[in-house]
Amino acid sequence: MSAAQRLAAPGPAQPARSVRARDLLIVDDHPIVLQGFRLLAEEAGIARVHEARDIVAAYRTFHRHRPGVVVTDLSFRDDGLSGLSLIRRIRALEPEARILALSMHRDPVIVARVLECGALGFVLKDTPAAAFLEALEAVANGRSYLPHDIAIEIAMLNAGAHDLPLANLSSREMQILVLIGKGKPYDEIAEILTLNYRSVVNATATLRSKLGVGSMAELMQIAASQARTRP
């Protein structure tokens, strides 16, 4: 059973949890995922659930209704990791906004960026319903939430990167860096990220400049250190 199916039909054994939030905004471009999260939110006792399928509609909905919690995917079909942009825009509008981010990918570099952008928590889309409700409850009450294993990966990542200017990298550049570290050739990186080959080549040159490395070998060493915590 897929993650979306599990979310759309949570098992009867999952205990109900009460989340103290007046309303909730769910942002995802897959209808079945929206339905699943709506069911879980209603199970958690949230009476009003707003939905949006792209970041423009999501921002407008947040601006109008100011929901107590925002649950947003990071990746959208039309614009890569535009969920990060949504998180930043919402936090600029409402610095106390409580945001829980979702993704199918457990890349610690991206999760760290999610937290830097202002989200309080992060969960994987294949997270069991009970764990999702635990994350939702924590974020609704102003507490941070990360799965334990991902928190360890981020700690290891930070420990190995304290001298690197990773904060200067864009989300796309960090994705490319990690894929380089996993031994992916340029053409495969381009396919994975839906880019053209030349864009990957240019981004790699930019990475070398931003990270202050003089050779591709040095860049690959740094990339490998950033990718080592990702399974």
Side-chain angles (χ1 to χ4, degrees):
M1 181 181 292
S2 70
Q5 288 171 323
R6 284 197 296 272
L7 286 167
Q14 300 292 353
R17 304 178 72 101
S18 176
V19 177
R20 293 190 297 274
R22 63 184 184 273
D23 55 358
L24 170 72
L25 169 60
I26 304 171
V27 189
D28 197 287
D29 55 4
H30 294 87
I32 191 171
V33 176
L34 286 173
Q35 178 187 5
F37 286 129
R38 172 180 283 277
L39 290 173
L40 288 177
E42 290 173 351
E43 178 183 329
I46 297 177
R48 183 185 302 174
V49 180
H50 310 282
E51 296 179 1
R53 296 188 184 183
D54 60 67
I55 65 169
V56 174
Y59 184 78
R60 289 174 178 168
T61 301
F62 183 86
H63 189 279
R64 179 178 180 182
H65 297 286
R66 302 299 174 102
V69 182
V70 177
V71 177
T72 182
D73 193 3
L74 294 179
S75 302
F76 293 84
R77 285 185 293 260
D78 60 341
D79 191 13
L81 286 170
S82 55
L84 292 175
S85 174
L86 176 63
I87 293 170
R88 285 193 296 266
R89 291 181 65 190
I90 288 177
R91 289 279 294 184
L93 178 66
E94 177 50 71
E96 300 302 317
R98 297 174 179 184
I99 304 172
L100 175 63
L102 308 164
S103 180
M104 288 296 296
H105 308 290
R106 58 178 298 121
D107 188 332
V109 175
I110 299 302
V111 178
R113 190 57 173 253
V114 166
L115 302 180
E116 291 171 2
C117 287
L120 276 177
F122 173 89
V123 292
L124 292 164
K125 279 192 172 182
D126 61 359
T127 294
F132 170 75
L133 292 175
E134 180 182 350
L136 184 59
E137 182 178 39
V139 170
N141 287 285
R143 302 192 307 272
S144 60
Y145 182 93
L146 280 179
H148 181 67
D149 56 342
I150 293 180
I152 291 175
E153 291 176 0
I154 291 176
M156 292 175 64
L157 183 71
N158 290 337
H162 62 281
D163 291 328
L164 296 173
L166 295 179
N168 295 331
L169 303 185
S170 70
S171 299
R172 181 65 79 197
E173 288 165 348
M174 286 192 291
Q175 283 182 306
I176 292 172
L177 182 67
V178 170
L179 289 171
I180 290 172
K182 292 175 70 66
K184 303 294 185 183
Y186 288 171
D187 56 349
E188 189 172 346
I189 293 174
E191 182 178 357
I192 291 171
L193 299 179
T194 319
L195 298 171
N196 62 55
Y197 183 89
R198 177 53 56 184
S199 295
V200 176
V201 173
N202 291 340
T204 302
T206 301
L207 282 170
R208 288 175 56 182
S209 175
K210 286 187 174 182
L211 294 175
V213 298
S215 69
M216 190 62 192
E218 290 180 86
L219 179 64
M220 291 182 71
Q221 287 181 342
I222 293 172
S225 74
Q226 299 310 307
R228 72 184 185 278
T229 58
R230 180 171 177 173

